[in-house]
């Protein structure tokens, strides 16, 4: 049975303890507030209430004193910045000696209530973490599908970091499996809002069913984000799918629809003049992004795609151990190349249409990869940067 709690049960019990006992147990006030904030926020995230997010967040922060919120956040940030200290702090509470000391100090009944509250709170956090991890799967599948549209040489050229691995989906499934076996299986999940799907562990060695289901969600999300750009563009994808299903020359029709989709979304987001200006401001040393025609400087398709995924924003960033900070970021560059390569691959289907099942399968694979690239590209471009570089608010 799901319990009707909005705040942390552990924090509630600890606050009732005598101050001297709390001090003896090393239960710092800021740590208690941090735990209360974490658990309460996780409960809010798991809430299926129809109440708007803004109202729910406002009500959430109204329950806490601003000073406490600042102290709790500062404590959490400090733990994240010093991992060794955080692990030492956590291990001290997990140790057998500490538990025996707490048992003698609190008494058996109070100690049992505290342990039950800890498990209940941990179950809420574990559920939120699992749902958060699973929320990454559509993007992992979209990334894998998008990279499949690239040539082998292109994939090798960008495989400079584990972030670009096509095994992302399997990696997420492996984390999910460990959470299920090592954490969720040991906690009273019946006290949370967990569903049967939440409690079912993904198998990293057999993800066919999960990926198929997620891929359907990718197509839906891609269409929704595309609709924010232009509702007519969504019809191009739907038209391509309908043509493949019902038309005798559906392959060529679908190819033409998808090529027009790519061209229109590039053209309607930025003009060629704007793209050239963006290239000169951000990537002036790349000779492959522009070309001359009749004395006029024009952008290449890759330049248009890069400008699109960057949303006309700055390419500049700080150098890191794995990235010199020069040129386009690997993810943006890969997505731009996917869009251009997909368009090139679609060209051969415009007139060379034998109507074979193999051609349909190839075009469907291209469509799946394009939907993945659009989901990721539009996700990058619709959060944080407007078409002309002004910050925008992310959508809930």
């Amino acid at each position: 049975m799901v319990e009707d709690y909005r705040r942390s049960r552990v924090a509630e019990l600890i606050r009732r303890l005598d101050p001297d006992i709390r001090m003896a147990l090393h239960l710092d006030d800021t740590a208690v507030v941090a735990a209360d904030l974490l658990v309460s926020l996780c409960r809010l995230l798991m809430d299926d209430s129809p109440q708007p997010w803004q109202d729910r967040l406002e009500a959430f922060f109204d329950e806490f004193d601003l000073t406490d919120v600042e102290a709790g956040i500062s404590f959490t940030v400090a733990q994240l910045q010093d991992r060794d200290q955080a692990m030492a702090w956590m291990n001290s509470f997990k140790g057998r000696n500490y538990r025996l000391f707490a048992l003698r100090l609190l008494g058996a009944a109070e100690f049992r209530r505290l342990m039950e509250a800890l498990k209940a709170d941990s179950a809420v956090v574990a559920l939120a973490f699992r749902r958060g991890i699973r929320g990454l799967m559509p993007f992992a599948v979209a990334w894998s599908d998008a990279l499949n549209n690239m040539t082998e040489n292109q994939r090798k050229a960008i495989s400079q970091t584990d972030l670009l691995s096509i095994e992302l989906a399997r990696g997420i499934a492996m984390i999910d499996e460990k959470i299920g076996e090592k954490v969720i299986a040991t906690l009273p999940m019946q006290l949370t809002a967990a569903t049967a799907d939440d409690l079912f562990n993904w198998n990293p060695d057999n993800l066919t069913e999960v990926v198929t289901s997620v891929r359907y969600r990718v197509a839906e999300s891609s269409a929704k984000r595309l609709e924010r750009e232009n509702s007519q563009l969504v019809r191009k994808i739907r038209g391509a799918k309908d043509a493949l299903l019902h038309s005798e020359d559906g392959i060529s029709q679908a190819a033409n629809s998808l090529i027009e989709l790519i061209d229109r979304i590039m053209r309607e987001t930025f003009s060629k003049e704007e793209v050239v200006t963006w290239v000169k401001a951000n990537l002036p040393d790349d000779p492959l992004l522009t070309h001359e025609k009749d004395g006029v400087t024009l952008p290449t398709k890759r330049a248009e795609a890069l400008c699109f995924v960057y949303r006309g924003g700055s390419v500049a960033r700080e150098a890191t151990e794995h990235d010199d900070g020069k040129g386009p970021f690997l993810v943006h560059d890969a997505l731009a190349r996917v869009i251009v390569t997909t368009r090139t691959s679609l060209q051969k289907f415009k007139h060379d249409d034998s109507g074979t099942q193999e051609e349909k399968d190839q075009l469907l694979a291209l469509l799946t990869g394009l939907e993945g690239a659009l989901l990721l590209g539009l996700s990058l471009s619709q959060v944080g940067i407007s078409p002309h570089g002004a910050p925008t608010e992310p959508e809930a």
Side-chain angles (χ1 to χ4, degrees), residues 74-234:
S74 297
F75 175 85
T76 303
V77 171
Q79 301 307 308
L80 292 174
Q81 290 177 338
D82 192 339
R83 184 178 177 183
D84 292 337
Q85 177 182 319
M87 292 302 296
W89 182 78
M90 291 179 64
N91 288 333
S92 67
F93 289 99
K94 292 166 60 179
R96 184 170 181 271
N97 290 339
Y98 181 87
R99 292 169 68 91
L100 290 174
F101 173 70
L103 176 61
R104 289 196 298 269
L105 192 62
L106 296 173
E110 190 69 14
F111 180 77
R112 184 179 67 254
R113 281 192 289 271
L114 186 61
M115 290 300 101
E116 289 175 349
L118 178 61
K119 288 185 176 181
D121 281 357
S122 298
V124 172
V125 176
L127 176 60
F129 186 72
R130 164 166 269 188
R131 288 187 179 179
I133 287 293
R134 289 185 171 186
L136 297 175
M137 185 61 90
F139 296 99
V141 171
W143 177 252
S144 178
D145 288 342
L147 290 191
N148 283 336
N149 280 18
M150 299 180 72
T151 66
E152 188 65 28
N153 287 335
Q154 286 176 323
R155 281 197 291 271
K156 289 179 180 178
I158 63 168
S159 59
Q160 302 174 37
T161 170
D162 290 340
L163 177 63
L164 298 170
S165 170
I166 60 174
E167 293 296 318
L168 276 175
R170 188 170 183 274
I172 290 174
M174 290 176 67
I175 295 174
D176 180 86
E177 183 182 47
K178 294 299 181 184
I179 293 172
E181 293 178 349
K182 304 294 184 181
V183 181
I184 287 181
T186 67
L187 296 172
M189 302 307 295
Q190 70 275 11
L191 301 181
T192 71
T195 65
D197 286 340
D198 289 323
L199 301 179
F200 177 77
N201 292 344
W202 286 348
N203 181 355
D205 296 320
N206 185 19
L207 277 176
T208 303
E209 186 175 343
V210 171
V211 169
T212 299
S213 173
V214 168
R215 190 169 283 135
Y216 177 77
R217 289 166 54 195
V218 168
E220 284 191 324
S221 296
S222 178
K224 288 179 181 178
R225 292 181 183 276
L226 193 58
E227 192 164 18
R228 295 173 196 168
E229 296 286 324
N230 187 326
S231 61
Q232 292 183 359
L233 298 178
V234 179

Side-chain angles (χ1 to χ4, degrees), residues 381-395:
S381 68
Q382 287 176 346
V383 177
I385 304 174
S386 71
H388 297 281
T392 60
E393 293 295 327
E395 296 190 25

